Amino acid sequence: MKKVRTRFPPSPTGHLHIGGARTAIFNWLLARHEKGEFVLRFEDTDRVRSRQDFVDSILQSLEWLGIDWDDGPYFQSERYSIYEEYLQKLLDTGHAYYCTCSQETLNAKRKAAMERGEKPKYDGTCRDKGLPKTEGAVVRFRSPLTGITVVNDVIKGMVSFDNRELDDLIIQRSDGSPTYNFAVVVDDITMKINTIIRGDDHLNNTPRQILLYKALGYPVPVFGHVPMVLGSDRKRLSKRHGATSIAAYKEAGYLPQALVNYLVRLGWSHGDQEFFTIEELVEKFSLENIGHSAGIFNPEKLLALNKEHIMASDPQTLAPYLKPFLAQYRIKVTDDAYLCRAISTLQTRSKTLLDMAKGSLFYFVDHITYEEKAARKFLQPDILATLELLLQKLGTLPDFTEESLKNVFTDMMEETGLKLGSIAQPVRVALTGGTVSPGIFEIMEVLGKKRVTSRLKAAIDYIR
Ligand code: GLU
């Protein structure tokens, strides 16, 4: 079997969104699983809607997701001479012809057909005229008038199309630009793509593309059409369903691993397993297990999976993802080891990196600002003596570990007769500014003796 070569050909007319990303991931996973190659190509023949900032944004999103390519990125706009060459082949072999039917005539015929209750299609006026190339002429593909074209789809099985339904499609517009179906086929041929996985919104294009492969004399690639991603109302996923761009999930504090895991599971399964690392996906991915029904996008499930990935990751892995979120709060981390220790206390409590950044601010600020309600309730004169006693005990503590800190608190409870909460809550407010944080001993160990003592002193001063 030849090396698998897959591709992802986005049109740079928008950001990379959930559905497109899933298609990219499927093709990438298949290439990685089969030790094949993955090609990236921008379909930018629509000069009006294609934009460089969308190209950049799609590239950034792919890189962030961890999808790397072995070849490309290609740009269709730079390949017009190649399309021209293949167009000439079709003209030379009689598989294509010039058509000079005016838009008005075509529109009128289309309207009349619809009024008769027929499916509008090109009536073949120029098909056998043998017209030469003229200003304003388009090139049409001479599609067979009889027979059927079968798409042997690895996901959907055999899908047959009656050739009578496939009219002579335009392959080159009057301005010389190639149309989608033609450019895609020429690209996939010349880029040696042998496996095409894409959304099933393209299934109707596939018989036309197969006919073009045959006319050009090239083998038809393997096709697989994946059911669409739908919103909870079973309508095509759109802005109405919330954020749909990959960039928006990045900004909201999702881990790329979680998003990839979620998107793959949205159309593929491996038993009941929900949580996958990227390595596992590469190892287990196969076309056979792509599902036959639409995937329903569920933001809550994605969030839950993100939490799981945050929990399962090493702090070292999370650190570079967290830093940009801390930077939004003007925190520049200088001590990576300290950051990792802080992260390890927050992993079980954070659904997103944004949560984690907010929850970790107290580790990094020079001065704690107390939440008003917390200070009013817990930083009162009656706690002064306790805080002073704690400060004194910590001063003589040889090692500053969770274990030894726990012992200090046990001693304190015995000596003062206070419950753990009555000591821990004021200390928590002193150290973090609020009443919610990871475990008190955990945060004390991470903060370390210097920070803890200076924050306790600051709280004592504040109360006085
Ligand atoms: N540019 C097309 C799209 O974004 C690619 C379709 C294909 O995979 O052939 O939908």
Side-chain angles (χ1 to χ4, degrees), residues 11-235:
S11 306
T13 53
H15 299 285
L16 184 65
H17 54 84
I18 294 290
R22 192 187 59 162
T23 304
I25 295 166
F26 280 168
N27 282 284
W28 177 81
L29 278 178
L30 184 66
R32 293 291 168 260
H33 176 80
E34 299 282 348
K35 307 217 173 347
E37 286 164 349
F38 175 69
V39 182
L40 180 62
R41 152 176 103 224
F42 283 98
E43 307 210 320
D44 59 345
T45 53
D46 183 339
R47 300 312 290 158
V48 180
R49 288 171 61 230
S50 297
R51 282 172 23 191
Q52 184 60 40
D53 56 330
F54 289 137
V55 170
D56 296 339
S57 151
I58 292 170
L59 287 173
Q60 274 166 23
S61 291
L62 288 173
E63 278 169 38
W64 178 72
L65 287 170
I67 298 176
D68 53 351
W69 48 94
D70 307 293
D71 196 5
Y74 291 99
F75 291 86
Q76 287 190 327
S77 58
E78 293 166 1
R79 297 169 54 82
Y80 277 29
S81 62
I82 301 171
Y83 307 131
E84 200 64 51
E85 191 189 311
Y86 280 77
L87 186 87
Q88 198 54 52
K89 278 189 195 174
L90 290 178
L91 285 165
D92 292 347
T93 53
H95 284 105
Y97 60 89
Y98 287 102
C99 165
T100 53
C101 291
S102 72
Q103 202 53 55
E104 294 75 53
T105 315
L106 292 173
N107 288 348
K109 285 184 180 170
R110 161 180 286 266
K111 204 169 147 232
M114 281 174 30
E115 277 164 9
R116 287 196 304 272
E118 290 166 18
K119 211 175 136 192
K121 54 183 261 192
Y122 182 59
D123 65 356
T125 303
C126 297
R127 185 172 162 112
D128 296 314
K129 281 188 183 163
L131 295 174
K133 181 176 183 172
T134 45
E135 181 83 27
V138 301
V139 180
R140 284 185 187 273
F141 178 60
R142 191 188 302 274
S143 199
L145 298 174
T146 55
I148 55 164
T149 299
V150 177
V151 179
N152 191 356
D153 189 294
V154 285
I155 297 160
K156 299 201 181 280
M158 303 271 202
V159 190
S160 299
F161 292 83
D162 190 330
N163 287 344
R164 280 175 303 187
E165 302 287 317
L166 314 169
D167 58 353
D168 289 357
L169 72 143
I170 295 175
I171 54 178
Q172 189 186 56
R173 300 184 191 91
S174 56
D175 65 1
S177 62
T179 56
Y180 160 73
N181 280 302
F182 179 59
V184 159
V185 170
V186 173
D187 283 342
D188 288 335
I189 288 172
T190 50
M191 293 173 194
K192 301 195 164 43
I193 303 301
N194 53 25
T195 311
I196 296 176
I197 308 302
R198 61 186 170 198
D200 64 5
D201 51 337
H202 282 290
L203 184 59
N204 283 333
N205 287 318
T206 308
R208 300 174 206 278
Q209 295 180 10
I210 289 176
L211 290 171
L212 282 164
Y213 276 97
K214 291 190 172 156
L216 286 164
Y218 285 90
V220 175
V222 171
F223 282 104
H225 291 87
V226 187
M228 294 277 97
V229 180
L230 305 179
S232 51
D233 52 1
R234 303 199 67 88
K235 298 231 167 72

